[in-house]
Amino acid sequence: MRFTVAIDGPAAAGKGTISKAVAAHFGFAHLDTGLLYRATGRRVLEGEAPLDAARTLTAEDLQRDDLRTAAVAQAASKVAAIPEVRAALVDFQHAFAARMGGAVLDGRDIGTVICPDADVKLYVTANDAVRAERRFLELSGNGADVTREGVLADLRERDARDSERATAPLKPAEDAVVLDTSGMGIAAAVAAAIAEVERVRGPDPE
Ligand code: DC
């Protein structure tokens, strides 16, 4: 069975948490496509040319434990604005989406560009203040030396770049269901996403 769930939205809206939970609930595979851009951006920070990095990503690049820093996030957003970098990452994402057993992909352009025929499309968002607070707690919890103001400015800069680029900008697909998680806890947001998948797919067979 092929079944694709596309989950897009701005930084720190809860896409990752929701995607993992949906994948676990239905037994689908999950690809965080931001990791592809983060891994590319990290290699660029080390001096490599963006396109060379994107074309030669390895499994080890994706598994590094230093991809979640603010510096790598900004580098990812910058390489993601280069059309040739995006093109170099398409085949991997298409193959993942088409795997048997179902797949959840989360990112910025999954419902619009990578999987325009996805069975379910969610656009997960939340207001700036809520997203910045979540990211601040995550980064400071990991020991990073960050301030709330700095995290908010960083998110806004990244969202503006991701939304305003010419190729595959961040925006909801016309047929996406928008899930605003500003006033929601994790459990409610996950339940809403699972309910949407069930609505399309039918309840999980026992
Ligand atoms: O989801 P994330 O924060 O890990 O993504 C890091 C950056 O990668 C994000 O700022 C923009 C880029 N990105 C993208 O352009 N397209 C995607 N499908 C996923 C991420």
Side-chain angles (χ1 to χ4, degrees), residues 6 10 35 45 74 76 87 93 119 125 142 145 147 167 177 198:
L35 280 184
L45 289 177
Q74 286 292 352
Q93 296 176 79
D119 298 278
T125 189
N142 290 338
D145 184 18
T147 62
T167 306
V177 172
E198 274 178 353

Side-chain angles (χ1 to χ4, degrees), residues 97-175:
R99 63 168 55 198
M100 301 303 284
V104 180
L105 286 81
D106 78 86
R108 301 291 185 291
D109 64 337
I110 307 303
T112 50
V113 174
I114 300 293
C115 302
D117 297 327
D119 298 278
V120 175
K121 296 183 187 179
L122 295 176
Y123 188 83
V124 179
T125 189
N127 67 47
D128 289 10
V130 165
R131 293 189 294 116
E133 182 65 16
R134 288 181 189 158
R135 185 50 51 92
F136 171 77
L137 292 175
E138 180 189 333
L139 291 172
S140 55
N142 290 338
D145 184 18
V146 288
T147 62
R148 288 188 161 76
E149 298 70 39
V151 170
L152 178 61
D154 231 49
L155 279 189
R156 285 188 174 149
E157 186 187 336
R158 203 144 65 88
D159 289 344
R161 193 186 299 110
D162 295 345
S163 313
E164 288 161 19
R165 69 185 177 219
T167 306
L170 166 66
K171 64 173 180 194
E174 272 175 21
D175 50 351

Side-chain angles (χ1 to χ4, degrees), residues 7 18 21-22 26 120-122 124 177-181 184-200:
I7 303 188
I18 291 172
V22 167
F26 293 99
V120 175
K121 296 183 187 179
L122 295 176
V124 179
V177 172
V178 176
L179 184 58
D180 187 331
T181 67
M184 278 183 180
I186 291 171
V190 166
I194 287 174
E196 181 54 23
V197 175
E198 274 178 353
R199 189 183 68 76
V200 174

